[in-house]
Every structure is written in C-alpha cells, then in structure tokens.
Amino acid sequence: MASSQHEQVLVEEKSFARILTLNRTKQLNALSFQMDDPNVKLIILKGKGRSFCAGGDVAAVVHDIRAGGWRAGANFFMKEFTLNYLMATYSKPQVSILNGIVMGGGNGASMHGRFRVATENSLFAMPETALGLFPDVGASYFLSRLPGFFGEYLGLTGARLDGVEMLACGLATHFVPSAKLPMLEAALCAVDSSDPAIISSIIGQYSERPSLKEQSVYNRLDVIDRCFSQKTVEEILSALEREAVDRREGWISTTIQTLKKASPTSLKISLRSIRVGRLQGVGPCLVREYRMVCHVMRGEFSKDFFEGCRAILLDKDKNPKWEPSKLELITDTTVDSYFSKVKNEDWEDLKLPARPKFNLPPYVIAKL
Amino acid sequence: MDRAFQRTQILTNHLLRSSPPSPLSSNACLSYSPPELSENNAFDVEEMRNLIDGHNVEERDWLFGLMKQSRLFNPRVRGGKVFVSPDYNQSAEQQREMTWKRIEYLLGRGAFERWLTEKGEEIEMRRFAGFEVFSIYDHSLFTKLGAHFFLWGGAIEFLGTKHHHEKWLRDSENYLIKGCFAMTELGHGSNVRGVETVTTYDSSTGDFVMNTPCESAQKYWIGGAANHATHTVVFSQLHINGTNQGVHAFIVQIRDADGNICPNIRIADCGHKIGLNGVDNGRIWFDNVRVPRENLLNSVADVSPDGRYLSSIENPDQRFAAFMAPLTVGRVYIACSAVYQSKVALAVAIRYALTRRAFSLKPKEPEVLLLDYPSHQRRLIPLAARTYAMSFAANYLKMLYVKRTPRSNKTIHVVSSSFKATFTWNNMHILQECREACGGQGLKTENRVGHLKGEYDVQSTFEGDNNILMQRVSKALFGAYMAAQKRNKAFKGLGLEHMNKPCPVIPSLLTSTTLRCSRFQMDALCLRERDLLNRFVADVSKCKAEGKSTQQAFLMCYQLAEDLGRAFSDRAIFQTFIEAEATLPAGSLKDVLGTLRSLYALICIEDVSYLRYGYLSVDNGANVRREITKICSELRPHALALVTSFGIPDPFLSPLAFNWIEANSWSSV
C-alpha cells in the first residue's frame, strides 16, 4: 500500500465533535487507515470533492502484491477490517455524511456507524464482484440485514443506489439535502451529548423523506425477493430469466447481463458470504471475510481478482477473462475452501481488538 | 447497616447524576456485559458446528435466512436485535393459518424441492437438515410439514407402488394435494393392530367401503385434518369375504380442491392443546365412504378386481411390520429434532448464566456470575455434554437410516426406537433444568425455553409411546441373546459384540486417570448392559419356567427391561461419540471433545443403576461424582464456545440470551 506523504484525513476539533474529512481526492478519496482516533465524543465523517469515499485503493493493493507477495495485500485488509470493527463497536456515535460516491471501502467506513446521512448527490455501490473480489469490509453483515433479499441483489450485481433508495432500504438513516449540510454540521458540533436519540432528532430537523423514483428497483422488491432468495447463483439467474420472460422490464435484463459479466467465482463466494453473514455478528463476519480475502489474494483457486483489476482499473479494457469461466465449473468444495483457514505457516485469523466489557451502547452490543 | 448505606449511596448517585463507579461494584446499576467480549474460544466454533451438525450446513443457513428475512416469520426487535418466533398469543385458528402461510412461502422459495420426487442419500440428508431447521423455528411448522411429507408422503412411498408414486408424489411435493395420516384412533394408539375402522370390498362396484363402526374408532389427532388436508392415508382393518386380513392403508380424499369436506366424511377439531396449536389436529369419521380399488396402498398386499386377497407376505405379523415403515423414519426425525431443542434451551440458559449475577460472597463485592457457581455448572454443563453425545448419535442414526438395506431394518427399528425415546426424554429433562436455570425469565414465552416444554412434550408419546418403544428394545435384545444362544453363535449386530469378550472388570479404586480413560468408560457401560441382559434373560426364563407365557414374562420383568433399555441407549450413544472423536486430528477440538466425552460417560455411570446392581462401590460412586464436578469446572471456560457451536443463529434464540437489560428497558416498552 502506498503510504501517503500528505495528510489523508483532515481532522477538525470542535468543542464536542471531531470532524474527519477524507482528503485524498486524487484517488477518489481512497480509504486508508489513518482514521482511527478514538478520543472523541461524536465523530462526523465526510468526504471532500465529489465523493465520500470510493473505496480502498485496490490498484495500490495489487501493485503491492506484485511487489511484495500476497501478504502485503493481506496486511492492508487486516488493517482495514480491524478499523471496520473498531467503527462498528465504537462507543460514541458516528455520523457519516454521504454527499457523493460511496463504494466498497467507503461503505466499510460509514455503514457500521450509528448514523448515515444521504443526500441528492449520494451514489452507493458494492461493485466487488465485477473486480473479481467479493463485498468485504463487513458487507456480509450490513448487506445481509437489509430488507428481504435486497442485500444479495446489491452484493452480487453491484447495483447503484441513489440517496433516496439508500434511505428507503435502510443503508442511510437520514436524507438531508446537500444545501442544508453546513447547518447540520454546525448543529451537530454544538451537541453536548452522545445520546443517539438526541443526535437523531437533531439530524431529523434537517431531514426530508423524498419519495422513490417510479422506476426505482426498490419498488420491485417482490421480484428481487423471489429471485435473490434462491439457493444458488445458478437458480437466481434462472429465476431472473423466468421473470424476464413474464415482465419484460429493462432492469431485469440489465441485472442478468451484470451477473453474467461478473466473476463466477466472486458471485458464488459472495452469495455464500452474505448468507452466512446474515446469521453472524459483525466480528465473526470480518474474521470470515479476512479468511476469504486472504484466499483471494493468494490466488490459489482463482486469480480473478488480478484479472479484474487489470481489466477494470489498469488496462481499462473492461473485458476480464475469468477463470473458471462458468458458474457450473465451480464446485461447492472450491467455494468451501474460501471459508477455511489459510494453510500457511504463521498465517493467523484476524484478531479482533479488545473492546470495553462494560457500558458499550446497546446498539453496539446488538452487533456482536 | 451495610444495606442501608448501600441504598443511600445508590439514591445519592441517582440524584447527583455523578458518573457511575465501576459497574461491578456492588452499588452501581447493573450493566449488560456481552459474554463475547470476556470469553475466549479455545477451539474453532465453526469447525465444531460443522462436526456436530454433520451435514448440509449451507442448506441450513439458507433456510434460516429464508425465515429470518420474511415478515411471515414474525420478526421482532428486542434489545436492538431481530428475533423470529411465532406469535403464540394468537388464537389457535390464527396460528394454524400462519403455519400454513409459512409453508406456502417456503414452498415458493423451493425449500421442499425434490423432497418427494427424488430418492437417495443426498435428498434424504437434505430433508433431515430441513426438518431440523424448521423444528428450531417452531414445532407446529415441523409437525405440519412432517405429517404431509414423511407420514403422508412416506406412506405413499413405502406402502404404495409405482402408479401411486406417479399419481401422488409430485402433486404432494407441490402441495397441490395436502396430505395427512389417519392411523391413531380414540381407542387405539400404540396398538395399531387393534384399530377398529373397517373396510370391505364391494366386487359389484369394484371399490372399497370404509366405515367408522363406533365412537372409539374415530380417527384422532390427525395433523392437518381439521382445516387444510385434502387427502389422507387411512389405516383400517380389511375384511374380504368375511375374513379380516388385518390392517391395511388406503388413500381417501376428505376435501375437494375448494376445501369443502367430502360427502360421507365427518371432521371435528381436537381442540386447544398444551402445545402445537399451529397444527390443525382433527378427528375423522367415515360413513360408507367409497374408495377406488387402486387407492389401496398395495406394496404388501392387493385385492383383485373380483375381490380376491393377494399378498406376497404370508405371515400376518411380517405383513403388519411392513406397514409400520413410515413410522420408523418419523422416529428418526423426532429424535433428531429433540436434540436441537436441547441446543436452543442450553444456548439460552448458558448465555444467560454468563451475564446474570446473583449474590455477593462478601459485602460490597461484585455479585457472582451464575455460571461461576459450581452448582450452576453442575446443572448445565453435563447437559451440554449429553447434548453433544446425542448430536453424534443422531448423525449416526441418520446415516444408518439413509444407508438402509433389507438386512439393516431390524437394527434401524431398534436403534431408532431407543434413540427416539431417550432423546425426547432427555430433552424434556434438559428443557426443565434450563427453564429453572433462567429463573422467572424462563417463564416468558418470548424467551422460548419454558414454552418449548409444552411444545415438545408430545414427542414422548407420538410415533410410539416411549415406554413401549423401550420395552421393544429390551425384547429385541432378548431376542438377540436367545438367537446367539440357540445357535451357539457369537453376538453380531446392535453393538452387542462386546458380549463375546470376557466380562470387563472395574478396578477397585477408580482414579481420575482411569475415570477419564475411554476404555474404562466403554467397559463400564458394556458391563452394565451385559449384566442387565443376562439378568433379564434369567428372570424371563424363570417366569416361563413357572408356567407364564413369554409375553406375560416380559410384562412381569418390566423393571429390568427399563434399566436394560437405558443401558443399551447409553452405550450405543457413547459408541457414536467415540467414533466421532476418532475422526479428528489431534488439536483443541479433539481435546475439548475428549473432556465432553468423559463427562457424558461419567454422568451415565453416575446413574443409580450402578449402585443398585453393585457395579460400583459406594466409594467409587463418590469418586465418579467428584470427577464430574472437576470436569464441569474445566469446561466452564469453554461454555460459551460450546453453545455457540450448536449453530443456532441468534434470531432463533431469544432476548434472554443477549442484552436482556436493554430488551426490558423502558424505552422498549
């Protein structure tokens, strides 16, 4: 990971709050791990420029692995996932202002916090399956807890949501028009409390409840549930194909095309990860995702991650050659192996940092 | 004085709103400390779960997820977490409708795909996993599915022939047909051969005529009959030309596609029950019901169009035994689901015991965690060991069943009877102990543990009364003994091979090392089984020598029969534990399982029978008990990991297992 010479996070100290501004606009505010500063009461996290945070700097990770082996990549993810866990279990509320693109690692930095404020500029996605990766940074926890099987839909297709959709499905807790953000920020800086109810009501004063666009996929949750609740990726695809025949709606064929373009290995391990994550606490989710990401970095069963980065980020030909190339070529045993311990000397499972045993807020305890 | 001082201090703290002192000091408000943050896993809980679930783990998680994500499964948020459990405060009528809606939903998601239309090990194991998962959500869901799939579907599969399979199985799998199973009558339960429903053949029209000749012949407890079922398998005496050919099974339509009850059929409700109110148990009377000839399930016997009785099995006893096949698989399902209820209850009770404190040892000291009391460990941890043992035994039983051959039928019958009785009794005992260990909170339906007692009590008597099943086990062992003796051959099968070896000797002084040795443990369990079998045979023979019939002799020797049945079960279960342990490489998983295995063996050896029949001296009895307490304290640090490995997802446990303070806070009212 290219370490930065510049300040990657701007920190402003207000009387009761600490505002962290993600500041690496050049790499679309690629997330780094210098943001952990626990000595504050209320954290406000925001981006600078046109994005909140477009995710971990995947190109740099691939570069590091080429130079220093998979361990270098694993090391990056270990730090990132540890940070995700600290944010998920932080005893003071975090308010993330998602006024722009929020993808991949950016979701890891915000979705685990207590409050997520969307705006008309918000653009959400977890696009990892197109890169040969899988929704990580604790996505198997937060995606799997969305209504019905919307999490599978977002995680497998990488579909994009606007701020209104984020609010509707629960990824955002509030929607505030961007024009009101300066006032919201000022009000939050004046709050002398960590009580989530009080903070929520303050954000509420600036919030709106706009209605979904008519063509929003979230209006088609019934179809999404029927298809994405199926047991396997293959069955999800055939359910979508049946629906496509019945309804001839554009989004269904787009969804099918997207799934067919994504890495088959990624789709299979992502589906399993979300399904298992639905029944686990956030800590075990991150431990499992770390195992998975180590297997991906090692490229033992598939090198799709490197191929995906080549095709999307480096060569930009958008034409990745996945291997294995078809869903049916990937056995359950292969999928299982992504969830097993890495058989490598001195490899260890992700060690979750200790958290205070007493007086954690209930919303944190509920996630363990 | 101390108390008064403490109270003043608490009040002062409240009034001054001073920052609270350490939450463990005796005068602070209690705060919930999540056990995940203080307990460490010494072994990989995922690996352990895979081992004890044994199969189809991914399928299980998918089914859990299907239920968790649907409003139909009544999700509620308590203490910030989602829990799914039926609303048992609904009327029985409403609960039945919800059970049905849940089945429709699962059907639509493909949860029962290929359940009836495919054969073989893979699908049977998948079906077992499905039933176990559904039983964790709700016993009514399990039972209503069970009546349809393994009783109705099983009867058609086992008792029907090709044309029945083709005609009924696919439509049943898709629920175009809703089946039920009419065997039990008001006057006859376990004694199926005594049912009074009568069917005759009318060769002039070529169909059967079925009748309920008296009130005691009404079909009773028929799951699905009261509201939903369209068809049923009826067990009835078959009279051909004035000769009773014994009990046979017939397919009878009881409702039309619109749900109207068919002519000549009367159906009534069984009323409110202590559990299973989501199942529409009904009573059925038949008044000259005409049944097409091809609706006789004819794998064992048939009636020709001109009214001749044809059977491939001449012996009526064997013929009857063949009719009981669907019940065997039912017993396997019941035994396995009982184990999962014990898992739910123990996970709740142990997690609660890791977060609830009571009494300080000294004034001003923090109160003690329930599970740090040796007595509380002694109550719960041996039950966890028993549940691990039952898990391995259940996996063995399932494998025995799916790999069945005509030769293994007898073994399956004996082992499934024995395990069904033992597991369901154990389960009721575990539920009661866990309920008490949860104190008053165990009484709340939403906390599940207490409620499960009402829901699962029925398991002790359905698909065969436990006492009767255990008597059959003893009779089977008696039979094996006589067969070996008569032919002067070695014992083979049912795990009785140890009878061929010299009688094991128990050392006069049992040290800790000996007590934890698997060889000793096996010897001790075999010794009891062997001796009780010898005694049982001797007593039965003595009764017979005094002029009693074999049946009378069995009845007279019921006390020994009960002890022998238990001894067989304990030893057979232990055997499966040893085998599971042997599959593991050295490591932390094997270590903890070894300790659990010792604990399971010792609580079997602690049984009163060891003193009653003199296998243990009083001193050795005390040594066994002392070792049990030692093992309990050794396993205490693993308690959380042991119940996490049960693999019951959080939403299927209950608020008491998590942040019970927040779940009960004023803000959640």
Side-chain angles (χ1 to χ4, degrees), chain A residues 146 148 229 231 291 357, chain B residues 33 44 58-59 62 69 109:
Chain A
L146 299 181
S229 61
K231 188 158 50 176
R291 281 187 186 186
K357 288 177 192 165
Chain B
S33 174
D44 188 321
E58 189 188 354
E59 173 95 7
W62 173 59
Q69 294 306 98
R109 302 295 146 117

Side-chain angles (χ1 to χ4, degrees), chain B residues 84-86 88 135-139 341 344 348 431 442 444-453 456 648 651-654:
Chain B
V84 285
S85 184
Y88 292 108
S135 80
I136 290 168
Y137 175 73
D138 175 33
H139 198 200
Q341 312 317 309
V344 169
V348 173
L431 293 177
K444 284 179 67 132
T445 306
E446 73 168 14
N447 288 331
R448 300 207 64 194
V449 181
H451 182 81
L452 287 175
K453 291 194 298 166
Y456 279 86
I648 316 289
F652 294 81
L653 294 178
S654 66

Side-chain angles (χ1 to χ4, degrees), chain A residues 144 146 148-149 225 229-231 235 272 275 278-280 291 341 356-360 362 365-366 368, chain B residues 23-24 31-34 37 44 46 58-59 61-62 66 68-69 79-81 109 113 126 649 659 662:
Chain A
S144 64
L146 299 181
F149 297 83
D225 276 357
S229 61
Q230 297 293 318
K231 188 158 50 176
E235 285 165 296
R272 176 87 69 90
R275 296 268 160 93
R278 178 163 282 140
L279 308 171
Q280 285 180 325
R291 281 187 186 186
K341 288 184 174 173
K357 288 177 192 165
F358 292 100
N359 295 328
L360 281 176
I365 290 176
L368 298 169
Chain B
L24 270 184
S31 88
Y32 175 85
S33 174
L37 297 181
D44 188 321
E46 284 301 311
E58 189 188 354
E59 173 95 7
D61 284 350
W62 173 59
L66 279 184
K68 187 195 165 198
Q69 294 306 98
K81 285 179 85 85
R109 302 295 146 117
E113 219 170 72
R126 224 186 83 200
N659 192 348
E662 180 65 13

Side-chain angles (χ1 to χ4, degrees), chain A residues 68-205:
Chain A
W70 69 276
R71 287 294 190 135
N75 200 32
F76 168 80
F77 286 101
M78 179 187 285
K79 288 178 178 165
E80 186 179 23
F81 292 4
T82 305
L83 174 61
N84 297 143
Y85 182 71
L86 287 171
M87 286 175 146
T89 57
Y90 194 48
S91 58
K92 299 293 188 296
Q94 172 188 334
V95 182
S96 301
I97 297 178
L98 310 171
N99 187 29
I101 298 171
V102 47
M103 291 187 185
N107 286 310
S110 53
M111 292 306 158
H112 298 295
R114 181 66 185 78
F115 297 106
R116 288 92 56 189
V117 179
T119 75
E120 73 281 5
N121 299 318
S122 300
L123 179 68
F124 166 95
M126 286 301 284
E128 287 80 2
T129 57
L131 271 181
L133 195 59
F134 63 93
D136 60 344
V137 295
S140 64
Y141 182 84
F142 64 76
L143 285 181
S144 64
R145 276 154 179 81
L146 299 181
F149 297 83
F150 199 54
E152 276 93 336
Y153 168 72
L154 293 179
L156 296 187
T157 65
R160 298 175 168 201
L161 299 183
D162 64 25
V164 188
E165 290 166 323
M166 290 176 74
L167 178 71
C169 74
L171 282 166
T173 56
H174 296 80
F175 182 97
V176 175
S178 60
K180 291 186 182 170
L181 289 179
M183 286 187 294
L184 169 65
E185 214 175 281
L188 285 175
C189 289
V191 189
D192 178 15
S193 173
S194 289
D195 183 344
I198 293 173
I199 294 166
S200 180
S201 76
I202 288 173
I203 308 173
Q205 287 166 25

Side-chain angles (χ1 to χ4, degrees), chain B residues 117-182:
Chain B
T117 48
E118 200 171 292
K119 286 186 167 50
E121 274 177 42
E122 189 266 339
I123 191 70
E124 287 186 348
M125 290 310 270
R126 224 186 83 200
R127 230 160 45 186
F128 279 127
F131 270 102
E132 286 166 3
V133 168
F134 299 135
S135 80
I136 290 168
Y137 175 73
D138 175 33
H139 198 200
S140 288
L141 180 61
F142 169 93
T143 306
K144 197 156 165 78
L145 287 170
H148 177 76
F149 281 105
F150 67 72
L151 291 178
W152 157 264
I156 290 170
E157 187 189 333
F158 293 114
L159 309 181
T161 48
K162 192 158 173 279
H163 76 276
H164 297 115
H165 300 165
E166 284 165 0
K167 181 167 180 189
W168 304 99
L169 289 180
R170 179 166 301 279
D171 284 354
S172 298
E173 183 179 290
N174 297 328
Y175 268 102
L176 295 174
I177 284 167
K178 300 171 200 165
C180 62
F181 187 80

